[in-house]
Amino acid sequence: MNYKITVLPGDGIGPDIVGEALQVLELIGERYGHSFQLTEADMGGVAIDKHGIPLPQATIDTCKSGDAVLLGAVGGPKWDTLPGHLRPEAGLLGIRAALGLYANLRPAVIYGALKEASPLKSEIISNGIDIMVIRELTGGIYFGKRGRLETEGGEAAYDTEMYSRAEITRIAKVGFETALKRGKRLMSVDKANVLESSRLWRQVVEEVAKDYPEVALSHMYVDNAAMQLVRNPAQFDVILTSNIFGDILSDEASMITGSIGMLPSASLGAGKLGLYEPIHGSAPDIAGQDKANPIATILSLAMMCRYSLDLPAEADAIESAIVRVLDKGYRTGDIASAGTTLVGTKEMGRIIRAEL
Ligand code: NAD
Ligand code: IPM
Ligand code: MN
């Protein structure tokens, strides 16, 4: 088969990790007889430098005309003083919204070989961790009204959290459908003891639950959820939450698995088109040093094969190659521990391809 993939390398470590992932994709194409037609486009800081804006219309058009999008990461100190709507991060929010990608799947899985890399005590993670964080991605405070104003007390700024019944319903369905295919336990995380938007969230999730009697639904406040994730992460199967809570909790969940450099993500909407990216950022502190862990990006490629391209065998092949590489003791710095073999970004990519 022939697939059209849009590639947005972005900034910082983005081009390095995407470069390794693309070589994995090429190899998959050779092994399984697919042709992947790659089109690179600008988004983020690189687009600001070239076109003056973080998300050119041409990038949106290219993404829409393809089967899937692979993204590295965007942002960096160079663009941090620009007004909000011109920052690299605005490009990322813009592409998620333009493609209607309201559901963000972030799987936090602890690999057997990486238990040493987790900061949690071995008894807490001994039975493994396999959590799917489902983050609402095109609503909430990220997309609510924000601004500055003069008040009697001086300058003030505001950001608004708003969720409609329709937005909550569609993401809740993704949560229940996902739980059905897994451990059938759904934990909805909110702040319903304070926020009205969370009270509607909880109410609508309860309503959607009526269509999924097989799924055990519970609710948890986000502050407790942050604590429970480190106290007993194995209690979670699927976590369903808002845009901002999902952003924060998924970074926390990633570290439980050893490193933020391990967590991939899929951003999905109503159709097959999806955007795949590691959950981490452009890591300016290690950019250009061959230190970044490319595994989150390569695992994102596996998610792309599974969710947008209907290539489950190829996805399995990528994931199991990574398991074997970790079992053999190869580690980038972020997941290194005593007795393992330290490798750089490129070498890790090469070893994963050799294992494929
Ligand atoms: P970050 O995720 O870039 O980095 C946090 C820490 O994790 C750093 O110490 C970094 O070195 C480390 N890290 C991240 N990815 C790694 C990898 N693959 N291998 C090894 N170590 C890794 O978060 P930050 O420092 O808060 O943000 C930096 C920039 O990235 C900001 O401009 C931010 O807005 C942007 N950002 C972009 C995305 C995205 O494009 N999806 C996501 C998060 C942050
Ligand atoms: C992520 C990032 C983005 C987000 C930023 C860079 C806009 O942190 O993908 O997790 O908050 O969604
Ligand atoms: Mn984030």
Side-chain angles (χ1 to χ4, degrees):
M1 277 283 281
N2 189 24
Y3 302 94
K4 290 203 287 191
I5 313 295
T6 308
V7 183
L8 310 174
D11 313 314
I13 60 171
D16 302 338
I17 54 180
V18 163
E20 294 311 314
L22 290 181
Q23 292 182 60
V24 170
L25 193 62
E26 197 185 325
L27 188 61
I28 288 285
E30 286 166 18
R31 288 290 149 80
Y32 292 84
H34 308 304
S35 117
F36 296 104
Q37 186 190 322
L38 307 178
T39 309
E40 198 172 308
D42 298 324
M43 199 272 282
V46 64
I48 296 170
D49 290 351
K50 279 201 214 166
H51 315 281
I53 47 170
L55 180 60
Q57 183 61 42
T59 297
I60 300 176
D61 295 342
T62 306
C63 290
K64 281 186 176 167
S65 71
D67 297 304
V69 183
L70 180 69
L71 165 69
V74 299
K78 183 176 176 190
W79 306 282
D80 277 348
T81 50
L82 290 170
H85 68 287
L86 288 176
R87 290 181 59 123
E89 293 85 351
L92 180 55
L93 302 193
I95 194 68
R96 289 169 178 168
L99 302 180
L101 307 174
Y102 61 85
N104 187 212
L105 275 51
R106 299 186 158 192
V109 176
I110 188 158
Y111 293 89
L114 282 194
K115 285 188 178 156
E116 284 295 309
S118 175
L120 295 189
K121 287 185 193 141
S122 58
E123 61 260 35
I124 296 178
I125 52 172
S126 57
N127 290 328
I129 304 297
D130 183 355
I131 303 170
M132 181 65 92
V133 178
I134 297 188
R135 169 190 180 194
E136 198 291 326
L137 201 61
T138 52
I141 201 165
Y142 276 65
F143 291 89
K145 223 177 145 204
R146 71 179 99 254
R148 294 205 183 197
L149 70 177
E150 281 304 325
T151 68
E152 280 173 17
E155 191 182 16
Y158 63 95
D159 301 88
T160 19
E161 172 90 345
M162 182 164 95
Y163 270 112
S164 68
R165 181 170 272 282
E167 286 173 318
I168 303 166
T169 303
R170 66 181 182 183
I171 193 69
K173 283 183 181 162
V174 175
F176 283 102
E177 291 291 339
T178 307
L180 266 186
K181 292 180 206 134
R182 295 172 43 105
K184 300 192 172 52
R185 288 181 295 124
L186 183 65
M187 180 65 78
S188 177
V189 173
D190 62 35
K191 189 72 187 176
N193 49 350
V194 177
L195 305 177
E196 198 55 41
S197 52
S198 278
R199 286 190 275 273
L200 180 64
W201 178 283
R202 200 175 271 223
Q203 187 185 327
V204 173
V205 170
E206 283 288 342
E207 288 166 21
V208 175
K210 296 196 178 99
D211 294 332
Y212 298 91
E214 312 92 318
V215 175
L217 169 68
S218 333
H219 303 275
M220 197 178 265
Y221 298 135
V222 64
D223 46 353
N224 185 25
M227 182 276 281
Q228 295 291 342
L229 266 172
V230 289
R231 189 188 75 89
N232 176 19
Q235 72 184 285
F236 296 104
D237 175 19
V238 179
I239 292 178
L240 169 69
T241 193
S242 65
N243 204 339
I244 190 158
F245 295 162
D247 179 44
I248 298 165
L249 293 180
S250 57
D251 267 34
E252 187 187 1
S254 79
M255 195 59 218
I256 293 168
T257 75
S259 166
I260 194 167
M262 292 299 297
L263 239 70
S265 84
S267 302
L268 307 169
K272 273 273 162 203
L273 177 64
L275 182 149
Y276 300 84
E277 54 167 326
I279 79 153
H280 61 72
S282 57
D285 53 333
I286 55 167
Q289 299 172 36
D290 194 41
K291 282 184 183 161
N293 186 347
I295 293 181
T297 312
I298 298 172
L299 287 172
S300 299
L301 205 61
M303 292 187 91
M304 174 191 288
C305 288
R306 189 164 282 124
Y307 293 102
S308 280
L309 311 183
D310 287 323
L311 301 174
E314 289 80 345
D316 286 346
I318 295 171
E319 287 165 356
S320 60
I322 288 171
V323 170
R324 291 196 299 278
V325 166
L326 295 173
D327 284 345
K328 287 182 178 172
Y330 296 107
R331 305 280 190 272
T332 44
D334 57 316
I335 49 174
S337 56
T340 58
T341 309
L342 185 64
V343 296
T345 310
K346 290 195 175 74
E347 183 64 359
M348 182 57 100
R350 192 194 63 74
I351 294 168
I352 291 169
R353 289 189 294 277
E355 199 60 55
L356 261 172

